[in-house]
Amino acid sequence: VAAGEIRVSPETMVHIKNGTLKKGDVLAVAQVAGIQAAKHNWELIPMCHPLPLTGIDITFALSDSPCMVEIQAAVTCTGVTGVEMEALTAVSVAALTVYDMCKAVQKDMEITNIRLLEKSGGKSGDYKRED
C-alpha cells in the first residue's frame, strides 16, 4: 500500500469536485492511469519484472484544508515478491494524471509525500510505516 498527495488551489478543487474540467472526470481518469501504471511498472523501472498482479485498488480522498487530493494504491500479487514498486508507481502516475487534467486551470500544483505505507512478501519481508 502506497500513498501520496497533490496540493491544489481551492478553485481547482471546485473543478475536480464538480467535474467541470475540459479534459473530463479527473478522479476517474487518474484511477485508470494508476491501474495501468501498476500493470506496466516493469516497463518503466529498470530491474523490475512482470508480475501476476491479482488486485489494484486506487482510492482518493479530497481535503479542503489544505486543498489536496490524497491518493492511495493497494496492490496484491499471487507471487512471493513484494509489489511496493507497483503501488508507488500507481500513486505517482495517478498524481501526474491529476496534474495533467488540471494544468489548464492551475500550473503550481505540488505533488508531495509519495511513500510506502506497508508491504508484505519479497526478500525484505514485511514493513509497516510508523508516522
Side-chain angles (χ1 to χ4, degrees), residues 23-120:
K23 289 189 174 188
D25 184 335
V26 173
L27 300 182
V29 175
Q31 184 178 46
V32 172
I35 291 167
Q36 196 170 3
K39 289 181 175 185
H40 292 276
N41 176 71
W42 65 276
E43 295 174 312
L44 300 170
I45 309 293
M47 308 303 168
C48 287
H49 53 279
L51 296 174
L53 302 179
T54 55
I56 306 165
D57 187 28
I58 311 290
T59 58
F60 303 95
L62 303 179
S63 171
D64 289 326
S65 183
C67 281
M68 74 170 95
V69 178
E70 299 174 87
I71 304 162
Q72 188 166 318
V75 179
T76 54
C77 173
T78 57
V80 294
T81 186
V83 289
E84 62 267 33
M85 291 309 301
E86 287 73 11
L88 288 163
T89 300
V91 168
S92 300
V93 170
L96 289 168
T97 302
V98 171
Y99 186 97
D100 179 59
M101 301 276 298
C102 299
K103 69 186 180 197
V105 175
Q106 181 185 0
K107 301 269 193 278
D108 65 347
M109 292 171 280
E110 182 179 325
I111 296 170
T112 186
N113 205 18
I114 296 172
R115 67 221 181 265
L116 182 65
L117 298 179
E118 63 182 90
K119 73 168 280 298
S120 61

Side-chain angles (χ1 to χ4, degrees), residues 7-29:
R7 295 177 187 268
V8 300
S9 69
E11 176 191 6
T12 301
M13 182 60 75
V14 168
H15 285 293
I16 292 170
K17 287 179 177 180
N18 294 335
T20 53
L21 287 156
K22 188 174 182 180
K23 289 189 174 188
D25 184 335
V26 173
L27 300 182
V29 175

